[in-house]
Amino acid sequence: MSEAAPTQPSLWNLPNALTMLRIVMVPFFIWFFVVDGGAHGWWRWAAVLVFLAAIYTDKLDGDIARARGLITSFGKIADPIADKLLIGSALVLLSAVGELWWWVTIVIMVREIGITVLRFVVIRYGVMAASRGGKLKTVLQTAAIILYLLPWTPAVTWLAVVAGIVMAAAFAVTVITGVDYVIAAGRLRAAGRAGEQGRP
């Protein structure tokens, strides 16, 4: 007697709900940031708190998905998209108010959007989950953005220097992991095409 195929977790689960919540929080983060023109007052603190809460949902949904066996293909795709919406909006806002060089934001966003598109291009051959390098990239980007978002960073020299160093590290890892993902996508596509050709 053949064994029954393992049951796939439902798309309607807590980790996916948290991922969608993170997406919903992005407009609130943007509004809190721009409501007073990016000034370093209470609205800026509200933006920081929303950003921190959204980032926490990223950690929480991953922990729950792994602990309860609720990892889905939808989650593998939606989770990085939610991250890119949050991180991307923060980078654009910081550049728009002159606190971060535009070329840094542009390179990071081109990498992020490009890898997302690449994931969809090769999805017929398999899902490219986030690598360890990709997760490190997210951690560094998040840490750098939080430092830049803090209302007192521009007024504290050493804190501004730390923010710049962390952002430089995030930038480097972002570019390196982007190249790694392109190579991984090429291998995934080649393996998938070889499998298709080998079928009768």
Side-chain angles (χ1 to χ4, degrees), residues 17 24 48 50 86-87 92 105 109 126 152 157 181:
V24 170
V48 172
V50 172
L86 182 63
I87 297 294
V92 170
T105 293
M109 291 305 298
W152 58 64
T157 302
Y181 275 124

Side-chain angles (χ1 to χ4, degrees), residues 79-142:
D79 187 70
I81 289 177
D83 293 341
K84 287 169 177 55
L85 287 173
L86 182 63
I87 297 294
S89 63
L91 292 171
V92 170
L93 290 172
L94 288 169
S95 292
V97 296
E99 296 179 27
L100 180 66
W101 288 316
W102 270 111
W103 66 266
V104 172
T105 293
I106 290 171
V107 170
I108 292 177
M109 291 305 298
V110 167
R111 182 273 192 201
E112 300 293 1
I113 294 172
I115 296 304
T116 299
V117 171
L118 189 60
R119 277 192 166 101
F120 282 106
V121 170
V122 301
I123 197 170
R124 60 176 293 192
Y125 304 112
V127 175
M128 284 201 311
S131 65
R132 290 184 178 179
K135 293 176 181 178
L136 173 62
K137 176 266 302 180
T138 301
V139 170
L140 289 172
Q141 286 181 355
T142 300

Side-chain angles (χ1 to χ4, degrees), residues 43-82:
W43 287 112
R44 180 74 167 238
W45 276 114
V48 172
L49 291 176
V50 172
F51 185 86
L52 289 173
I55 286 299
Y56 180 69
T57 66
D58 183 30
K59 180 182 185 303
L60 188 60
D61 66 19
D63 290 344
I64 294 174
R66 287 186 291 272
R68 300 184 184 180
L70 297 176
I71 298 174
T72 63
S73 294
F74 172 82
K76 290 179 180 179
I77 295 296
D79 187 70
I81 289 177

